[in-house]
Amino acid sequence: MRVQLVTGALAPRLTDRDADSARVAIAAAQMLLLDGDTVRIEIEVGAGCTLELEDVGGTVAYPGSSSWQVHARVAAGASLIWHGLPFVVTSEARAARHTELELDTGAAVLVRETLVLGRHGEIGGAIDSGISAYGIDGPMLIERLQADAASSSPGVTGDFRVVDSIVALGFRPPTVPGDLVLEHPGAVARFLGTHTHASGLDPVWSTWRAALLANSTLLAA
């Protein structure tokens, strides 16, 4: 498997690789996210390959306006796994965050996104966050969250400051009541709360990751 990494605002580092899979750790190459910062991440996973990304540290959006954009293309029979660490929006910060995923035939994606409004003791800022996923037959999942900790809205996040989500696409993970099961193969597990450590999604991540890897093995057989 050939792995090509480009360092910009983020510094990816290859930590493991074999014939058809690779694991890459991602760390900030500079202080992020400051007022005016725009970070764009491009990911491409080749046919039949598995790429696993892991954040080394969370991301903090500091006071001011900033943008975080991810665009990933996952080729036929390929898999993308990304366990993201908390994305914290500090007081007086206005952060735009969007993840766009393109899945080819037999492709699968598993991502975890944790949004936190404010550091400990802070009210927190405003976030405009979305995810758009498309398969060969059209949209698989389109979501958008607009929340401002300074003026919480009933029916959005209310008094909760943590939105922890695991999104599975292209395969059917084992779900429980309360999970969102998608029309196309996939599901979303979500936690709303006041503290990240109260989220119960860690075992869900482990279970869904194992399901994705098992699914990939079956497709390759």
Side-chain angles (χ1 to χ4, degrees):
M1 179 179 183
R2 183 173 64 90
V3 180
Q4 182 177 355
L5 305 173
V6 177
T7 298
L10 300 177
R13 295 289 182 267
L14 180 65
T15 60
D16 194 16
R17 175 175 58 183
D18 59 24
D20 57 8
S21 66
R23 180 173 296 179
V24 174
I26 300 176
Q30 61 193 53
M31 190 172 181
L32 297 172
L33 291 161
L34 302 178
D35 184 25
D37 279 351
T38 297
V39 174
R40 182 170 177 82
I41 303 168
E42 294 280 350
I43 302 167
E44 186 164 354
V45 188
C49 296
T50 297
L51 175 63
E52 185 160 7
L53 304 176
E54 187 168 359
D55 289 353
V56 173
T59 301
V60 178
Y62 292 95
S65 299
S66 59
S67 174
W68 176 280
Q69 307 291 325
V70 175
H71 182 209
R73 294 174 293 274
V74 188
S79 299
L80 171 64
I81 303 171
W82 189 349
H83 187 283
L85 293 181
F87 185 95
V88 181
V89 184
T90 62
S91 295
E92 301 183 11
R94 299 176 302 280
R97 175 186 171 108
H98 187 255
T99 299
E100 183 176 12
L101 305 167
E102 298 179 19
L103 285 73
D104 205 337
T105 304
V109 171
L110 182 66
V111 296
R112 185 171 185 176
E113 294 187 347
T114 306
L115 307 177
V116 184
L117 296 178
R119 293 171 291 190
H120 181 70
E122 284 187 335
I123 295 176
I127 180 74
D128 185 344
S129 177
I131 181 170
S132 303
Y134 302 90
I136 58 172
D137 296 322
M140 302 175 71
L141 175 66
I142 298 178
E143 287 190 330
R144 185 178 181 187
L145 169 66
Q146 293 177 297
D148 188 343
S151 57
S152 59
S153 302
V156 183
T157 57
D159 294 328
F160 297 127
R161 55 184 289 269
V162 176
V163 182
D164 191 9
S165 305
I166 299 176
V167 177
L169 298 166
F171 70 106
R172 295 205 179 278
T175 56
V176 298
D179 293 338
L180 173 63
V181 178
L182 305 179
E183 178 181 356
H184 295 282
V188 179
R190 181 163 287 135
F191 163 83
L192 293 175
T194 55
H195 301 286
T196 55
H197 63 75
S199 174
L201 294 188
D202 284 350
V204 176
W205 172 265
S206 298
T207 301
W208 287 18
R209 177 181 177 274
L212 183 154
L213 294 175
N215 179 73
S216 300
T217 300
L218 288 174
L219 289 175

